């Protein structure tokens, strides 16, 4: 069995390490019968396009951000709420626990099986025009966001001129200055070489995006139980390696981005607090679409972790 897996990021992204580990694990568990064949840089289409192919049963697997899929599963929008997580530990506890299972159950009715949650990470703003140290500095900046109404709302609320775009179009749009900026985790800014077309980096950590390791339900249901188990188990082996490398590379990427000439702005805690306060109404505006139950369940995991 050859299992094609679609990726929007490049092979030197930590997802590449996760896929390599998962490939090895599957080969061992299946006596070499189950082979992962990965495609990088949107070769099989963007996150949404590839996910639709899974639903149609014409593609096996995709590693996708949750954000472009809110049109299919609105509850996934909970992960797009600004400043939701404070750190990776909180994200892991939410994703790898009951809440993660609860969200995964919302995917099967739409033809998708989530094998496990990998890490895209905490997002930061870059742009080619000016240093951004406050929300006011964002005014008039044309910023690309994912095709997601919560990100659109958050950045408009912060004063930016936000525009939705698929990931595969971002580099060229930055290069031609059709857009001024974008926001992604440091490892993606690094491995997608955005430092070549972006001068300024602001360490906003304004949202954490999970990756879904998705499988086509149609094709999954046709597998033998031991093959299904191997896929889930090996996706978790891949997940752990991917997260390990992602967290290790994040610090190294910041050093590299500075070396590549990016001007880095650390946002002062008082300014971050202002950005949090300014975007708090985004929660109110989108809670109906996401579902109050989903938000309550997630907060129920975070509260005890924060000692509330
Ligand atoms: C890659 C995307 C990317 C995401 C984005 O396919 O679109 O900015 O952060 O990682 O999923």
């Amino acid at each position: 069995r050859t299992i094609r897996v679609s990726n929007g990021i490049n092979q030197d992204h930590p997802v590449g390490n996760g896929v390599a580990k998962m490939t090895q694990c599957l080969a061992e568990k299946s006596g070499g019968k189950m082979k992962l064949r990965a495609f990088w840089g949107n070769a099989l289409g963007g996150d949404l396009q590839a996910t639709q192919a899974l639903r149609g049963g014409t593609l096996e697997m995709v590693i996708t951000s949750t954000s472009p899929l809110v049109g299919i599963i609105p509850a996934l929008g909970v992960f797009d709420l600004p400043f939701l997580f404070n750190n990776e530990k909180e994200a892991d506890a939410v994703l790898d626990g009951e809440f993660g299972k609860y969200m995964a159950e919302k995917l099967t009715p739409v033809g998708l099986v989530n094998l496990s949650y990998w890490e895209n990470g905490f997002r930061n703003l870059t742009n080619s025009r000016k240093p951004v140290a406050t929300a006011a500095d964002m005014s008039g900046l044309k910023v690309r966001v994912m095709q997601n109404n919560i990100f659109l709302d958050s950045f408009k609320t912060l004063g930016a001129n936000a525009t939705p775009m698929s990931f595969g179009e971002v580099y060229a749009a930055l290069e031609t200055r059709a857009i001024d900026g974008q926001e992604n985790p440091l490892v993606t800014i690094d491995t997608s070489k955005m430092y070549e077309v972006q001068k300024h980096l602001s360490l906003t950590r304004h949202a954490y995006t999970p990756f879904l390791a998705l499988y086509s339900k149609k094709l999954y249901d046709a597998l033998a139980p031991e093959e299904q188990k191997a896929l889930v188990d090996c996706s978790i082996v891949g997940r752990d390696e991917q997260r390990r490398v992602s967290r290790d590379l994040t610090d190294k990427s910041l050093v590299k981005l500075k070396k590549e000439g990016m001007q880095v702005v650390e946002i002062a805690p008082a300014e971050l607090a202002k950005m949090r306060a300014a975007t708090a109404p985004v929660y109110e505006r989108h809670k109906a679409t996401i579902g109050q139950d989903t938000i309550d369940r997630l907060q129920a995991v975070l509260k005890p972790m924060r000692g509330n």
Side-chain angles (χ1 to χ4, degrees), residues 181-211:
Q182 65 85 48
E183 41 83 54
N184 253 292
L186 297 176
V187 296
T188 301
I189 297 167
D190 174 2
T191 56
S192 290
K193 301 188 182 336
M194 291 182 185
Y195 51 82
E196 293 172 346
V197 288
Q198 295 279 267
K199 181 80 184 144
H200 302 280
L201 166 62
S202 303
L203 300 177
T204 48
R205 289 171 62 93
H206 53 270
Y208 176 95
T209 304
F211 275 138

Side-chain angles (χ1 to χ4, degrees), residues 8-9 42 47 65 120 123 144 146 167 183-185 188 211:
I9 33 81
N42 297 290
D47 290 355
S65 289
N120 190 342
R123 309 177 75 89
R144 174 266 177 179
M146 292 176 284
F167 184 72
E183 41 83 54
N184 253 292
T188 301
F211 275 138

Side-chain angles (χ1 to χ4, degrees), residues 215-251:
Y215 207 89
S216 161
K217 186 169 184 318
K218 263 203 188 110
L219 302 175
Y220 185 83
D221 291 347
L223 298 173
E226 61 275 13
E227 291 176 311
Q228 292 177 343
K229 185 169 181 334
L231 268 176
V232 172
D233 294 352
C234 292
S235 86
I236 291 169
V237 170
R239 174 200 73 189
D240 294 346
E241 176 68 1
Q242 190 268 332
R243 286 179 183 170
R244 185 188 67 74
V245 175
S246 175
R247 291 162 195 185
D248 177 56
L249 183 60
T250 293
D251 302 333

